[in-house]
Amino acid sequence: MRLVIARCSVDYAGRLTAHLPSAPRLILVKADGSVSIHADDRAYKPLNWMSPPCTLKEGTGDDAGVWTVINKAGEKLIITMEEVLHDSSYVLGTDPGLIKDGVEAHLQELLADRIETLGEGYTLIRREYMTAIGPVDILCRDADGATVAVELKRRGDIDGVEQLTRYLELLNRDPHLAPVTGVFAAQEIKPQARVLATDRGIRCLVLDYDAMRGIEDDKLRLF
């Protein structure tokens, strides 16, 4: 991971345009190729970012101090450095991943055991399907034999949709799995997450934990 603290301005050109005027900011360049720009007053959420796969080109000569990040859709994130205050790189290595709490882990186990909950004819490939950026909760096939990746959360928010999106981008590069579609499953899905998932062609599934354990009517609500 590379950490750069710099006074910079940022311009985004893609499906929409956005401009961040000059200010001191933290720029993170991760090993997966993603680039994100952070301020000191927005908790963990970046001001702007570019998800992988993307390429970073650092300008030289007259363009020295200008970074151009381009994704596969041709969208650009242009960072113009005015003053670099800090620039360092660290090798973090492979992360062991998030250890799920009991309910979330049990949801995964139950859904894998009752994979037909996703739809008639679904079959399980495996739980915790490992990728270069972490494990997919459940990988399965639908009735037509197409691959489906499932991301499970207790409470589904935008970050979970973004996580599943990254998995789908990676899985769809594998000719043995592609095309891969996604299902975002949670006990509760926030409206913003549902809108984002729908926009990206990801199906949302609301899980009833008690029903899955056989405490209530053994059904799931599919939206």
Side-chain angles (χ1 to χ4, degrees):
M1 178 182 291
R2 184 178 177 186
L3 298 88
V4 178
I5 299 174
R7 178 172 292 277
C8 62
S9 59
V10 183
D11 292 279
Y12 175 84
R15 287 171 291 181
L16 50 80
T17 58
H19 174 71
L20 293 172
S22 176
R25 298 186 175 94
L26 168 65
I27 303 166
L28 296 181
V29 183
K30 294 187 178 181
D32 64 2
S34 63
V35 178
S36 57
I37 296 98
H38 298 260
D40 206 15
D41 60 352
R42 285 173 57 100
Y44 63 91
K45 292 189 175 181
L47 297 165
N48 215 325
W49 68 94
M50 192 70 81
S51 300
C54 56
T55 58
L56 167 61
K57 178 182 178 181
E58 297 185 40
T60 58
D62 293 340
D63 291 328
V66 178
W67 290 14
T68 304
V69 188
I70 306 175
N71 67 11
K72 64 180 181 180
E75 298 169 316
K76 294 182 179 180
L77 191 66
I78 301 171
I79 308 169
T80 304
M81 309 284 189
E82 299 171 13
E83 181 184 8
V84 176
L85 306 173
H86 176 84
D87 188 346
S88 60
S89 297
Y90 303 90
V91 178
L92 302 185
T94 303
D95 191 89
L98 179 68
I99 299 174
K100 301 177 186 298
D101 65 30
V103 173
E104 195 168 308
H106 198 203
L107 277 172
Q108 184 190 108
E109 181 181 349
L110 286 171
L111 189 56
D113 186 56
R114 306 180 185 185
I115 199 65
E116 69 280 356
T117 298
L118 296 170
E120 186 177 351
Y122 273 68
T123 56
L124 178 68
I125 296 176
R126 67 167 298 166
R127 293 169 51 194
E128 298 288 330
Y129 184 88
M130 186 56 64
T131 74
I133 57 174
V136 177
D137 286 330
I138 292 176
L139 196 69
C140 56
R141 295 193 187 279
D142 65 17
D144 297 322
T147 311
V148 181
V150 183
E151 180 64 26
L152 282 162
K153 300 291 182 186
R154 288 188 64 187
R155 293 178 177 83
D157 57 20
I158 285 178
D159 287 344
V161 178
E162 292 285 3
Q163 183 180 358
L164 179 54
T165 299
R166 292 192 294 271
Y167 287 142
L168 290 173
E169 287 178 351
L170 190 64
L171 291 169
N172 272 299
R173 298 183 207 170
D174 187 338
H176 299 292
L177 297 176
V180 186
T181 58
V183 173
F184 187 53
Q187 291 178 274
E188 173 190 353
I189 299 177
K190 294 183 179 180
Q192 300 93 329
R194 187 182 297 280
V195 170
L196 182 61
T198 301
D199 181 66
R200 295 182 176 179
I202 295 171
R203 182 160 61 110
C204 290
L205 180 67
V206 175
L207 303 174
D208 188 325
Y209 182 51
D210 288 336
M212 292 179 74
R213 291 187 296 163
I215 294 177
E216 297 177 354
D217 184 29
D218 190 16
K219 294 181 180 178
L220 296 181
R221 297 187 298 276
L222 181 62
F223 297 86

